[in-house]
Amino acid sequence: MYISIDDTDSKDGMCTTYLATELIKEFNDLYLVDHPRLVRLNPNVPWKTRGNGAIVLHLGQGGRKKRKIGYIDEEIYLYEGDSTFLNEALERATAIVEKWACDSEGTNPGIVISNQRPGIELYKKAVKDVVELTEVMDILDGGEYSYKGYKNKRGLIGATSALSWEPDDHTYELLTYREDARWGSERDLNDEDVKRFDIETLYTFDSYDHEENIQAIAPNSPCPVLYGVRGEEPSELMKALSMIGGERVERWLLFLTNQATDDHVQKQVIGRLRPWTSCDIIGEISRSPWTIEGGHVFFDVDYNGNTVTAAAYEPTKGFRDVVKKLTDGDKVRVIGGVRKDPITVNIEKIEILELAEKKIKKSNPKCPDCGKRMSSMGKDAGYRCKRCRIKADEDEAEIVTVDRDLEQKYYETPVVARRHLSKPLKRVEKL
Ligand code: ATP
């Protein structure tokens, strides 16, 4: 039996993954028969709280209810049918969700309980694009699903879509939780331990930002999570429990997840970009980078007859220095989320495919008679020697080729600004 839930938290508290731990407690008469799953969906939907994550539990039927109805050499039991069982499970899950979910405006919990999964196509759409509630209701009403959607029922979209995820690429996240008396207070976590964990463990990623010198495992919100460490190998992640010092870990749970897989990226988009999706475009920079107030950096890129503005916002910190070195004529591949109004690509990764030759004027031409530097006569108007009155064309100035200080490779946003679904270059061999 699967239990899937979504949309139970708000910015002010709670975390859907914490609810997973409470559900496991409630269903202790059943067995977990697979890793609990933390499934991230389209990071560009505007109504997400934070990381657009839903959770799925797969429980075995160890405690399924039975009724004695006879004795023929041995006791004969009638096992209650699945739908009764699912409805009963829904009642129990509902009580947990109602106890723990946030009751704030943007929170619209969804619970789905079933013995079957919807086809993977639903996950593929939900991680890349926008899914309508009607699409999900058609699935839920067309199969053996017990479900409950609260308020605008939007949580059913995430819960049903997460249920349909069958991992192709996958990673793990070990999440630890705080004692409830500490929720909302500042987290006590030893930064140096996190740094050491990041350096010394194998196949873990995004724990520490060595450029910004800051740990990246604790959330900033007042939710019950103490920290989450990510990686490919459960045994390596488990080392966090002994390596990372600080406040007491009240509970912990290892999740199988689609984080760091780039599952959200639509491969090689050719036509116009659609808002609230992610894209992967190859093109030529048609307007060199410019910076606006607040430190956000932009450039225009032409791809397949279209032009779009790409952005490296202030939170991407040092990544903006890479972007600023780009120039018109460079051929690049841009991977990122598509924002609406105006359509802009929020860059997650950029691959430099070809660097254009960039030339700048080093100095004005020398006068052939007196040898002194000539003066400019205005923009594109050429030069003139003040003393000898001799003129020179624009292209006679001394031009030098600029060292681009960029390599033909991928550059990515720093750990602190990275999206849950973005595949870090550390695991990019599979790109
Ligand atoms: P957290 O990660 O902290 O648990 P969140 O960022 O997951 O929070 P939610 O509160 O779950 O945010 O809100 C996301 C909402 O968007 C949910 O109601 C979910 O069902 C819905 N949703 C998720 N993916 C899609 C999609 N592709 N199309 C339409 N709605 C979606």
Side-chain angles (χ1 to χ4, degrees), residues 6-7 9 16 40-42 45 47-53 126 129-131 154-155 157-158:
D6 191 19
D7 208 341
D9 50 7
T16 305
R40 302 285 178 184
L41 299 169
N42 186 350
V45 294
W47 43 84
K48 66 175 183 168
T49 310
R50 284 184 296 264
N52 202 2
D129 210 324
V130 175
V131 173
R154 190 182 276 148
I157 300 177

Side-chain angles (χ1 to χ4, degrees), residues 5-11 13-17 38-55 106-110 122-133 135-136 152-161 221 223 276 420:
I5 53 168
D6 191 19
D7 208 341
T8 63
D9 50 7
S10 75
K11 284 200 170 68
M14 204 21 67
C15 171
T16 305
T17 68
L38 167 57
V39 187
R40 302 285 178 184
L41 299 169
N42 186 350
N44 306 298
V45 294
W47 43 84
K48 66 175 183 168
T49 310
R50 284 184 296 264
N52 202 2
I55 63 110
T107 304
N108 304 285
L122 179 65
Y123 163 72
K124 287 189 176 162
K125 183 166 182 192
V127 77
K128 292 182 159 82
D129 210 324
V130 175
V131 173
E132 298 296 333
L133 183 59
E135 296 173 57
V136 160
N152 72 13
K153 299 189 168 61
R154 190 182 276 148
L156 287 173
I157 300 177
T160 314
S161 305
S221 63
C223 73
W276 304 340
H420 297 294

Side-chain angles (χ1 to χ4, degrees), residues 10 18 58 66 94 100 163 203-204 255 281:
S10 75
Y18 183 82
H58 191 179
K66 56 189 184 181
T94 300
W100 291 102
L163 187 58
Y203 315 120
T204 64
F255 287 88
I281 50 174

